[in-house]
Amino acid sequence: MIRLLALLLFSLGFALPARAGEVTVFAAASMKTALDALAQGWEAQTGNVAHISYAGSGALARQIAAGAPVDIFISANPGWMEVVAKTGDIKAREDLLANHLVVIAHDENAPPVTLSSELDLKALLKGGKLAMALVDAVPAGQYGKAALAHFGLWQGIAPDVAQGDNVRATLMMVALGAAPYGITYESDAVAEPRVHVVATFPEGSHPPIRYPAARLSDSAAAHSFYAALRTPQAAKIFRAQGFVVLP
Protein backbone atom coordinates (compact mmCIF):
# COMPACT_ATOMS: atom_id res chain seq x y z
CA MET A 1 0.00 0.00 0.00
CA ILE A 2 2.79 2.42 0.92
CA ARG A 3 4.59 1.79 -2.38
CA LEU A 4 1.35 2.24 -4.33
CA LEU A 5 0.69 5.56 -2.61
CA ALA A 6 4.26 6.66 -3.20
CA LEU A 7 4.02 5.86 -6.94
CA LEU A 8 0.74 7.78 -7.15
CA LEU A 9 2.35 10.72 -5.40
CA PHE A 10 5.30 10.62 -7.77
CA SER A 11 3.07 10.44 -10.84
CA LEU A 12 1.11 13.50 -9.70
CA GLY A 13 4.28 15.34 -8.75
CA PHE A 14 5.32 17.81 -6.08
CA ALA A 15 5.67 21.43 -7.09
CA LEU A 16 8.82 21.68 -4.99
CA PRO A 17 12.47 22.52 -5.65
CA ALA A 18 14.50 19.49 -6.75
CA ARG A 19 17.61 20.12 -4.67
CA ALA A 20 19.56 17.25 -3.20
CA GLY A 21 19.82 17.23 0.56
CA GLU A 22 18.83 15.41 3.72
CA VAL A 23 16.14 16.13 6.26
CA THR A 24 15.72 14.70 9.76
CA VAL A 25 12.12 14.30 10.85
CA PHE A 26 10.79 13.41 14.29
CA ALA A 27 7.14 12.36 14.10
CA ALA A 28 4.48 10.87 16.34
CA ALA A 29 4.30 7.08 15.97
CA SER A 30 0.73 7.28 14.64
CA MET A 31 2.06 9.13 11.58
CA LYS A 32 4.21 6.24 10.34
CA THR A 33 2.12 4.68 7.57
CA ALA A 34 1.04 7.97 6.04
CA LEU A 35 4.34 9.80 6.46
CA ASP A 36 6.38 6.91 5.05
CA ALA A 37 4.26 7.05 1.90
CA LEU A 38 4.58 10.81 1.63
CA ALA A 39 8.35 10.69 2.21
CA GLN A 40 8.89 8.07 -0.49
CA GLY A 41 7.11 10.22 -3.04
CA TRP A 42 9.00 13.32 -1.91
CA GLU A 43 12.35 11.53 -2.17
CA ALA A 44 11.54 10.23 -5.64
CA GLN A 45 10.55 13.69 -6.84
CA THR A 46 13.29 15.79 -5.24
CA GLY A 47 16.26 13.46 -4.96
CA ASN A 48 16.49 14.36 -1.27
CA VAL A 49 16.55 11.86 1.59
CA ALA A 50 14.27 11.87 4.63
CA HIS A 51 15.48 10.28 7.87
CA ILE A 52 12.36 9.77 9.99
CA SER A 53 12.26 8.69 13.63
CA TYR A 54 8.89 7.64 15.08
CA ALA A 55 8.08 7.48 18.78
CA GLY A 56 5.74 8.93 21.36
CA SER A 57 5.55 12.72 21.01
CA GLY A 58 6.78 13.25 24.57
CA ALA A 59 9.93 11.19 24.05
CA LEU A 60 10.69 13.03 20.80
CA ALA A 61 10.07 16.47 22.31
CA ARG A 62 12.40 15.72 25.19
CA GLN A 63 15.13 14.62 22.76
CA ILE A 64 14.77 17.86 20.80
CA ALA A 65 14.82 19.92 23.99
CA ALA A 66 18.02 18.09 24.95
CA GLY A 67 19.67 19.19 21.71
CA ALA A 68 18.90 16.49 19.14
CA PRO A 69 19.45 17.96 15.64
CA VAL A 70 16.04 17.87 13.95
CA ASP A 71 14.64 19.69 10.91
CA ILE A 72 10.93 18.82 11.21
CA PHE A 73 8.85 17.84 14.24
CA ILE A 74 5.26 16.58 14.04
CA SER A 75 3.60 16.02 17.39
CA ALA A 76 0.28 14.35 18.20
CA ASN A 77 -0.28 16.87 20.98
CA PRO A 78 0.13 20.67 21.11
CA GLY A 79 1.50 20.44 24.64
CA TRP A 80 4.62 18.60 23.55
CA MET A 81 5.12 21.12 20.76
CA GLU A 82 5.20 23.82 23.44
CA VAL A 83 8.12 21.98 25.06
CA VAL A 84 10.00 22.29 21.76
CA ALA A 85 8.92 25.91 21.35
CA LYS A 86 10.81 26.78 24.53
CA THR A 87 14.07 25.92 22.74
CA GLY A 88 13.50 28.90 20.46
CA ASP A 89 14.28 26.82 17.37
CA ILE A 90 10.86 26.86 15.69
CA LYS A 91 11.02 28.68 12.36
CA ALA A 92 7.45 27.86 11.22
CA ARG A 93 4.53 26.06 12.82
CA GLU A 94 0.93 25.13 12.05
CA ASP A 95 -1.74 22.63 13.03
CA LEU A 96 -1.59 20.04 10.27
CA LEU A 97 -4.02 17.22 11.12
CA ALA A 98 -6.72 16.00 13.47
CA ASN A 99 -7.70 12.47 14.42
CA HIS A 100 -10.37 10.44 16.19
CA LEU A 101 -9.94 8.26 19.26
CA VAL A 102 -11.31 4.74 18.96
CA VAL A 103 -11.65 1.44 20.78
CA ILE A 104 -10.23 -1.44 18.75
CA ALA A 105 -10.71 -5.18 19.17
CA HIS A 106 -8.63 -8.18 18.15
CA ASP A 107 -11.64 -10.45 17.58
CA GLU A 108 -13.15 -9.61 14.21
CA ASN A 109 -16.51 -10.79 15.53
CA ALA A 110 -16.47 -8.52 18.59
CA PRO A 111 -19.73 -6.52 18.63
CA PRO A 112 -19.91 -2.71 18.73
CA VAL A 113 -19.39 -1.16 22.15
CA THR A 114 -21.59 1.62 23.52
CA LEU A 115 -19.49 4.15 25.41
CA SER A 116 -21.27 5.35 28.54
CA SER A 117 -20.94 5.41 32.30
CA GLU A 118 -22.79 2.08 32.31
CA LEU A 119 -20.14 0.24 30.29
CA ASP A 120 -18.58 -2.66 32.22
CA LEU A 121 -15.11 -2.58 30.72
CA LYS A 122 -13.77 -5.19 33.11
CA ALA A 123 -16.39 -7.69 32.00
CA LEU A 124 -15.69 -6.81 28.36
CA LEU A 125 -12.01 -7.70 28.80
CA LYS A 126 -12.82 -11.17 30.20
CA GLY A 127 -9.64 -11.27 32.25
CA GLY A 128 -7.49 -9.63 29.58
CA LYS A 129 -5.91 -6.19 29.45
CA LEU A 130 -6.94 -2.91 27.84
CA ALA A 131 -4.00 -1.78 25.71
CA MET A 132 -3.19 1.94 25.83
CA ALA A 133 -0.18 4.13 25.17
CA LEU A 134 1.57 5.57 28.23
CA VAL A 135 -1.24 7.50 29.90
CA ASP A 136 0.98 10.19 31.42
CA ALA A 137 3.41 10.78 28.57
CA VAL A 138 2.07 9.72 25.16
CA PRO A 139 -0.75 11.77 23.60
CA ALA A 140 -2.89 8.75 22.62
CA GLY A 141 -2.68 7.51 26.20
CA GLN A 142 -3.39 10.95 27.61
CA TYR A 143 -6.44 11.38 25.38
CA GLY A 144 -7.60 7.86 26.22
CA LYS A 145 -7.30 8.41 29.96
CA ALA A 146 -9.23 11.68 29.67
CA ALA A 147 -11.96 10.02 27.61
CA LEU A 148 -12.38 7.15 30.06
CA ALA A 149 -12.44 9.61 32.97
CA HIS A 150 -15.14 11.58 31.13
CA PHE A 151 -17.40 8.54 31.38
CA GLY A 152 -16.30 7.77 34.94
CA LEU A 153 -14.55 4.58 33.81
CA TRP A 154 -10.88 5.32 34.43
CA GLN A 155 -10.55 4.49 38.12
CA GLY A 156 -12.26 1.15 37.70
CA ILE A 157 -10.21 0.03 34.73
CA ALA A 158 -6.78 1.53 35.52
CA PRO A 159 -5.41 -1.68 37.14
CA ASP A 160 -6.30 -3.61 33.98
CA VAL A 161 -4.49 -1.30 31.54
CA ALA A 162 -1.38 -2.52 29.70
CA GLN A 163 0.65 0.52 28.66
CA GLY A 164 2.80 0.65 25.54
CA ASP A 165 5.65 3.06 24.78
CA ASN A 166 3.68 4.58 21.90
CA VAL A 167 0.39 4.13 20.09
CA ARG A 168 1.84 1.73 17.49
CA ALA A 169 3.04 -0.53 20.33
CA THR A 170 -0.53 -0.42 21.66
CA LEU A 171 -1.84 -1.29 18.22
CA MET A 172 0.44 -4.32 18.00
CA MET A 173 -0.71 -5.62 21.39
CA VAL A 174 -4.23 -5.86 20.03
CA ALA A 175 -3.23 -6.99 16.52
CA LEU A 176 -1.27 -9.91 17.98
CA GLY A 177 -3.98 -10.81 20.49
CA ALA A 178 -1.90 -9.93 23.56
CA ALA A 179 -4.77 -7.65 24.57
CA PRO A 180 -8.39 -8.15 23.45
CA TYR A 181 -9.13 -4.44 23.28
CA GLY A 182 -7.18 -1.21 23.04
CA ILE A 183 -7.50 2.52 22.56
CA THR A 184 -5.77 4.07 19.56
CA TYR A 185 -6.36 6.68 16.90
CA GLU A 186 -8.61 5.90 13.97
CA SER A 187 -5.60 6.22 11.66
CA ASP A 188 -3.87 3.35 13.48
CA ALA A 189 -6.89 1.11 13.01
CA VAL A 190 -6.89 1.94 9.29
CA ALA A 191 -3.24 0.90 9.07
CA GLU A 192 -3.68 -2.51 10.72
CA PRO A 193 -6.05 -5.11 9.17
CA ARG A 194 -5.85 -7.41 12.20
CA VAL A 195 -7.94 -5.05 14.35
CA HIS A 196 -11.32 -3.44 13.92
CA VAL A 197 -13.06 -0.47 15.47
CA VAL A 198 -15.85 -1.22 17.93
CA ALA A 199 -16.41 2.32 19.25
CA THR A 200 -15.43 5.93 18.59
CA PHE A 201 -15.11 8.34 21.49
CA PRO A 202 -17.14 11.54 21.04
CA GLU A 203 -14.92 14.59 20.56
CA GLY A 204 -16.24 16.24 23.69
CA SER A 205 -14.95 13.39 25.86
CA HIS A 206 -11.30 14.41 25.49
CA PRO A 207 -9.22 17.43 24.43
CA PRO A 208 -9.18 18.05 20.66
CA ILE A 209 -6.65 15.81 18.91
CA ARG A 210 -4.36 18.06 16.90
CA TYR A 211 -1.06 17.37 15.14
CA PRO A 212 1.06 20.52 15.02
CA ALA A 213 3.98 20.45 12.59
CA ALA A 214 7.06 22.64 12.98
CA ARG A 215 10.10 23.42 10.87
CA LEU A 216 13.18 23.74 13.08
CA SER A 217 15.84 24.58 10.49
CA ASP A 218 16.26 26.74 7.41
CA SER A 219 17.87 24.16 5.13
CA ALA A 220 16.51 23.82 1.61
CA ALA A 221 15.50 20.22 2.28
CA ALA A 222 13.64 21.24 5.44
CA HIS A 223 11.73 23.94 3.55
CA SER A 224 10.91 21.43 0.81
CA PHE A 225 9.67 18.68 3.14
CA TYR A 226 7.66 21.10 5.26
CA ALA A 227 5.97 22.43 2.11
CA ALA A 228 5.28 18.85 0.99
CA LEU A 229 3.14 18.27 4.08
CA ARG A 230 0.61 20.76 2.70
CA THR A 231 0.35 19.58 -0.91
CA PRO A 232 -2.91 18.13 -2.29
CA GLN A 233 -1.09 14.84 -2.79
CA ALA A 234 -0.14 14.72 0.89
CA ALA A 235 -3.73 15.50 1.86
CA LYS A 236 -4.92 12.49 -0.16
CA ILE A 237 -2.47 10.23 1.66
CA PHE A 238 -3.43 11.56 5.09
CA ARG A 239 -7.15 11.19 4.43
CA ALA A 240 -6.70 7.67 3.06
CA GLN A 241 -5.01 6.74 6.34
CA GLY A 242 -7.84 8.07 8.51
CA PHE A 243 -6.56 11.54 9.39
CA VAL A 244 -8.54 14.76 9.18
CA VAL A 245 -6.64 17.38 7.19
CA LEU A 246 -7.00 20.81 8.79
CA PRO A 247 -7.43 23.93 6.63
Side-chain angles (χ1 to χ4, degrees), residues 174-200:
V174 181
L176 296 174
Y181 291 89
I183 296 177
T184 68
Y185 299 121
E186 182 177 8
S187 57
D188 298 298
V190 170
E192 177 51 71
R194 291 172 292 180
V195 306
H196 75 285
V197 175
V198 294
T200 300

Side-chain angles (χ1 to χ4, degrees), residues 131-158:
M132 295 178 66
L134 293 170
V135 299
D136 293 323
V138 176
Q142 294 170 314
Y143 292 128
K145 180 179 177 180
L148 291 173
H150 172 83
F151 289 108
L153 302 174
W154 173 249
Q155 291 299 327
I157 203 62

Side-chain angles (χ1 to χ4, degrees), residues 7 16 76 130 148 157 170 178 245:
L7 289 173
L16 301 169
L130 178 67
L148 291 173
I157 203 62
T170 300
V245 177

